[in-house]
Amino acid sequence: MKSSHKGFADGALFALNVFILVLLLAGSSLVVPQWLQPAGRLHPLVLHFPIVILMLAMLMEYFRFKPEFVDEKFYQSFTDYLLVLGALFASVTVIMGLLLSHEAGYEGSNLQWHKWFGVGVAFVGYGVYLIRNRERYTAAMAKTGALVTVFCLIMAGHFGGNITHGDDFVFGPMMDKDKTQVPINEALVYRDVIAPIFEAKCQSCHNADKTKGGLKLTDEESILKGGKKGKLFVAGNPQISLLLQRIHLPEGEKKHMPPIGKPQLTDEEKLLLYFWVKNNPDFKKKVIDLPATDSLRMIASTFLKPVESTEETYAFSAASEDDIKKLNNNYRVVYPLAAESPALAVNIYNKSTFNVKALEELSPISKQVVSLDLNKMPVKDADLKAVAKLENLRRLVLNFSDVTGTGLKELAGLKNLRSLSLAGVKLTVADIKQLAAIKSLTELAVWDTGLKPADFQLLQATNKQLKILTGFKDDGKPVKLTNPELKNSSVIFSESYPPQLTNPIKGVEIRYTTDNSAPDSVRSMLYKPGTVITESTVIKARAFKTGWICSDTVQFNVYKCRYTPDSVMFITRPDDKYKGDGAKTIIDKDLGGTSFGNGKWLASQKNLAIMMWFNKPIEMHSLELNTMRNIGSQIFLAASIEIWGGADKDHLKLLSTLKTATPHKDDPFGLVPLSCKLNKAQTISCIKLIARPIKVVPDWHSAKGKPGWVFMDEVFIN
């Protein structure tokens, strides 16, 4: 380093470190003038320079006495330059930080540790620079100085991250964050529901070290105290509470909280804060102390449920696959509750064809049926004798059937029956005795039965574990809307499609999107009769009404299909468990629905290839394949899809290839249409479709290392 440069650097470093000492000695008595405050606020910007430069300089300093470097002039000179540059930037950064720390909103132990480790970086870095060229400077001293500097850098960064982003920002990923989820009967409303929201979304700006706006959200006393703008909330009045006003401002507003760039509150979190304030915030109340129908309790319970539900184990073996296949027909669906589970669910529909034979035919699988849905079926009292033979039945739906209280006595022998739904079934007070005889019940739905909630008091007293659903009760608190429904008889069309979205609640607005985003009450399209769709579309809909909690988002897939192949054949066959109704399954316009075991899906763990022919050539623009994704059951989207086309099977060329994204463990369950668009229209008479499953299930899955399943049930050609 030239002597003139060295002299300037030495003088600047000395002056800067003296200034640091002056600022430290001044302590809290220092008042930073307004014109100097912008210099302090540059601290977060400038601090990255000394971190990088000093890290590199200390790495080179650590190895400077190695034989191959000790006589290397460029190595020694370059290290000298890096050290002086890093020390200068470190000193300037520390001065800026000390100025910034005197502004309002910065306090606490994290700030003190950050300050002293930052000062340590500047002083140790300066010290290494001063002594590194002296005769008594040894390899041990070089390594010690380098290690101490790097340690101070890391710790300063750790505590700086805590100030800016909340505690353990740097080291958090290394720490054990696994906590046993608090059971709902032990959970406190504030500690286990509200406080986690503040911790995740608010405390990065409102903590003990950084109290933006004078507000701290780390303890009960500080929350009740509020900030510079006054109280955080008015108990019982969320509409005039600052907390709710700020979080509901548009994101573009300067005062919206959390600020843009920070993690935003979800709709459920906003509702929890709303109901917490409305219920007069209590920091000691348990969740179960709230009424069972209380909105805060209902929403909070979803946060307290285990992330993964535990699957029930069954003592019986699986039913014969041949028996299941025979029992699946046009009025009855039999399917497994989960992959590899012996438990079966049965859904019987088509009211006009129902008779007791549909139940008696279940005898080959009577041990395996745990769920039976007879919703709106004309079931008579005598038919319940056939139901009573399903010895392991857990769930029974008899809504709007023709049974009476007299017939319910047949169900007393079902020792495992836990859930019974009798909505719309006309009952008398005397019939409650028959319900009391079913000792295993834990849930009973009896709304619209002609009975009043008071009629069930004795039943509730004799069975404490029983949850009785008697319908809507107006307690003055918002109720969640039911989901919109699609009333169209089919979801497949050739030219245009007028969706018929409805909701049983009068005065409801239905908002929808077609871009795969969740609908909101302001920006999303308002559904009106007469709306027409002309392309395959994923419709996401949600119901809204003033004074009510909006419904969940529901999804309806509608498919455009202009051309249907005249013949179809497997090239490679699907797995025998999931071969549907043969190759025609892919073109029969009968969608498989959400149950992968209902006999309407084609599936394989190997490449699945199908050939399709048209009697007359068509002009094809795209092909869409309807698939299923169910990560828990090892069902993934196809890794890739190839579309080949031509005049005949001997003259095919590759028309389109679609590759899907890498699967993630939080990918939602659903029916997913995969669209393969052609670069330009092609006149073809023959199509070859190849769907390739993922070869190896990811390591995060319980079936890691095995091939994935690919499921498909229909092609739509346009």
Side-chain angles (χ1 to χ4, degrees), residues 539-560:
I539 303 172
K540 290 193 174 182
R542 207 174 186 184
F544 298 89
K545 185 177 181 180
T546 303
W548 295 63
I549 300 173
C550 61
S551 74
D552 294 328
T553 298
V554 290
Q555 177 176 316
F556 307 108
N557 295 1
V558 298
Y559 308 92
K560 182 177 182 180

Side-chain angles (χ1 to χ4, degrees), residues 194 237-239 243-244 247-248 268-279 296 478:
I194 302 302
N237 289 286
Q239 294 85 353
L243 171 65
L244 278 303
I247 66 176
H248 282 99
E268 290 78 9
E269 289 170 338
K270 291 177 182 178
L271 279 173
L272 285 170
L273 293 175
Y274 174 89
F275 289 121
W276 182 60
V277 172
K278 187 175 182 180
N279 285 5
L296 176 57

Side-chain angles (χ1 to χ4, degrees), residues 341-354:
S341 172
L344 299 175
V346 178
N347 186 359
I348 297 177
Y349 48 94
N350 197 339
K351 187 175 182 179
S352 61
T353 62
F354 176 82

Side-chain angles (χ1 to χ4, degrees), residues 142-163:
K143 290 181 178 181
T144 301
L147 291 174
V148 171
T149 305
V150 170
F151 174 75
C152 290
L153 271 172
I154 292 173
M155 298 309 297
H158 167 62
F159 290 109
N162 287 355
I163 294 171

Side-chain angles (χ1 to χ4, degrees), residues 268 271 275 293 295 298-299 302 472 477-483 503 505 542-543 547-553:
E268 290 78 9
L271 279 173
F275 289 121
T293 56
S295 299
M298 288 191 290
I299 301 173
T302 65
F472 170 68
K477 297 175 182 178
V479 176
K480 191 169 187 175
L481 289 169
T482 55
N483 296 335
N503 190 285
I505 309 297
R542 207 174 186 184
W548 295 63
I549 300 173
C550 61
S551 74
D552 294 328
T553 298

Side-chain angles (χ1 to χ4, degrees), residues 421-428 431 445-452 455-456 469-470:
S421 187
L422 297 170
V425 174
K426 299 307 175 185
L427 300 174
T428 66
D431 297 330
V446 284
W447 52 271
D448 197 20
T449 59
L451 296 176
K452 300 176 182 178
D455 297 331
F456 293 94
L469 308 176
T470 56

